[in-house]
Amino acid sequence: MNTAGGTADPVEEYAATLAGALYGPARDKARLVEEVRDGLAETVTAYADEGMPRDEAARQAVLEFGSPAEIAPSCQRELAVAQARHTARAVGLAAPFLIACWYLLWSANPGQDWLLPRAAQQLAVHLAGVAGAAALLAAAMTAATGTLARRLPTPHRLPLAVAWAGTTASVAMAVAALALTVAALLATNWPLIALAGSLAAVSHAVVAASARACRQCARSTA
């Protein structure tokens, strides 16, 4: 947007610069930038009501607010926590699929171990352990960035911890998808196992993408 004199609006330039410097969930990022834009617009209006030319009022408001580089770190920390919550929820929702994979691998074709190698069953046990740990971590991380955050400061390294927990869970889901694919080729009840493998693959894609975004947010905060 341009001012009456045809020059770029300092408020819009400020908002655009800030948006380009931030990483995080699109909705939360847009909300933060909009809050900053509204704050600047209110300051500009206040100066303009006092008789200051609007162009000068906009420049003064931006000067008082601080440069985008100065306020970006605090905004980025907020976005990192928001992304950590997204990732923790993704892990918490996807963990039951790992448990389901364990159950299917363990119970497929009972009494016919030669069709389903014992190694696959042992792998399923480990995947179930990862699922249980991921679910507990997701619950703790959601609480730490939600209810507890209202009373206690969010640990500085929590987003990075959530990112790597999500990465670990996504790797386990990828392994589960591969194991279920192999099991489906060997088992007689292959349609059900193949369906579980597909769900594990989709869960891996969702959690991996969220964990990758969380790592990026954590690095930007650091």
Side-chain angles (χ1 to χ4, degrees):
M1 185 176 72
N2 292 339
T3 61
T7 59
D9 185 348
V11 172
E12 291 302 321
E13 283 189 337
Y14 189 101
T17 301
L18 179 62
L22 298 177
Y23 299 94
R27 184 176 298 180
D28 296 281
K29 176 179 172 179
R31 175 184 56 78
L32 271 178
V33 173
E34 187 62 28
E35 288 176 357
V36 170
R37 182 187 286 110
D38 290 344
L40 285 170
E42 289 177 2
T43 304
V44 171
T45 299
Y47 280 130
D49 289 343
E50 295 175 358
M52 184 180 292
R54 197 161 189 85
D55 289 355
E56 184 179 346
R59 287 192 294 271
Q60 183 64 29
V62 167
L63 183 63
E64 290 184 358
F65 206 79
S67 69
E70 291 173 335
I71 72 165
S74 61
C75 293
Q76 186 58 60
R77 281 193 294 273
E78 184 173 343
L79 288 176
V81 172
Q83 182 60 58
R85 286 182 59 79
H86 281 276
T87 302
R89 282 198 296 267
V91 172
L93 292 174
F97 287 124
L98 281 179
I99 297 176
C101 292
W102 164 79
Y103 177 77
L104 287 172
L105 279 173
W106 186 262
S107 62
N109 295 317
Q112 301 183 45
D113 289 345
W114 62 275
L115 288 176
L116 186 61
R118 187 165 299 276
Q121 294 180 352
Q122 293 174 349
L123 174 62
V125 172
H126 293 299
L127 292 177
V130 171
L136 291 175
L137 283 172
M141 293 166 182
T142 301
T145 57
T147 305
L148 292 179
R150 299 169 188 166
R151 300 180 177 86
L152 300 171
T154 302
H156 180 69
R157 293 186 176 275
L158 182 62
L160 186 60
V162 174
W164 286 111
T167 300
T168 301
S170 71
V171 170
M173 290 169 194
V175 174
L178 178 60
L180 285 166
T181 300
V182 174
L185 297 175
L186 300 174
T188 56
N189 58 344
W190 65 268
L192 184 60
I193 298 179
L195 175 61
S198 299
L199 291 175
V202 171
S203 299
H204 160 71
V206 172
V207 174
S210 186
R212 183 165 55 251
C214 197
R215 289 197 304 273
Q216 185 178 32
C217 285
R219 285 195 299 266
S220 298
T221 302

